[in-house]
Amino acid sequence: MIKLYNENCMDTMKRIDNNSIDAIITDPPYGISFMNQKWDYDVPSVNIWQEALRILKPGAHILVACGTRTYHRMVTNVEDAGFNIRDCIVWAYGSGFPKSLNISKDIDRQLGCEREVVANSIRHGGGNSQIMKG
């Protein structure tokens, strides 16, 4: 049976018996002050992870998502609570907003090549307007 809890973790864990949970999978605050929100000011403290360790069965695992910039803070608190850190799963991603890129134009730019202009056009309107003249 799977039981999901969607509430404050400390309130929930205090009601759970010792050594009764098979696994914890969590995506806690990353400690990056996301959009200046107070709830994301810091990573969860050692006492939260100690409570998680208390309710896990011996040999059970915890999977904790965390931000790349604050990974060291998260894993230190988890380890200080008594967990053995065994593996790290990395979600590798490019930073910034994804953009379309014309590779051939970028290569020419990097090589200092100039492209031949084959036509000029003027775009009228805004947004997704496709009205072209010229």
Side-chain angles (χ1 to χ4, degrees), residues 17-91:
D17 293 334
N18 294 354
N19 305 322
S20 61
I21 301 295
D22 293 306
I24 295 176
I25 301 169
T26 183
D27 189 8
Y30 292 1
I32 58 173
S33 296
F34 177 72
M35 294 183 68
N36 229 11
Q37 297 293 312
K38 186 175 181 172
W39 61 264
D40 194 36
Y41 174 73
D42 201 2
V43 297
S45 62
V46 172
N47 65 330
I48 290 175
W49 301 118
Q50 287 172 332
E51 193 66 11
L53 186 60
R54 178 191 67 79
I55 66 174
L56 282 170
K57 292 178 180 177
H61 290 86
I62 187 168
L63 179 64
V64 181
C66 55
T68 54
R69 288 180 283 165
T70 56
Y71 166 81
H72 61 291
R73 290 186 181 137
M74 188 81 75
V75 77
T76 298
N77 285 357
V78 171
E79 188 175 43
D80 287 351
F83 284 93
N84 292 321
I85 307 302
R86 297 212 177 126
D87 293 309
C88 173
I89 300 170
V90 176
W91 180 331

Side-chain angles (χ1 to χ4, degrees), residues 1 9-10 12-13 27 30 48 50 53 59 70 99 103 113 115 123-124 126-127 132:
M1 182 175 91
C9 68
M10 283 303 275
T12 304
M13 290 190 292
D27 189 8
Y30 292 1
I48 290 175
Q50 287 172 332
L53 186 60
T70 56
K99 298 170 188 73
I103 299 288
C113 300
R115 291 182 152 229
R123 184 174 178 165
H124 295 276
M132 304 289 276

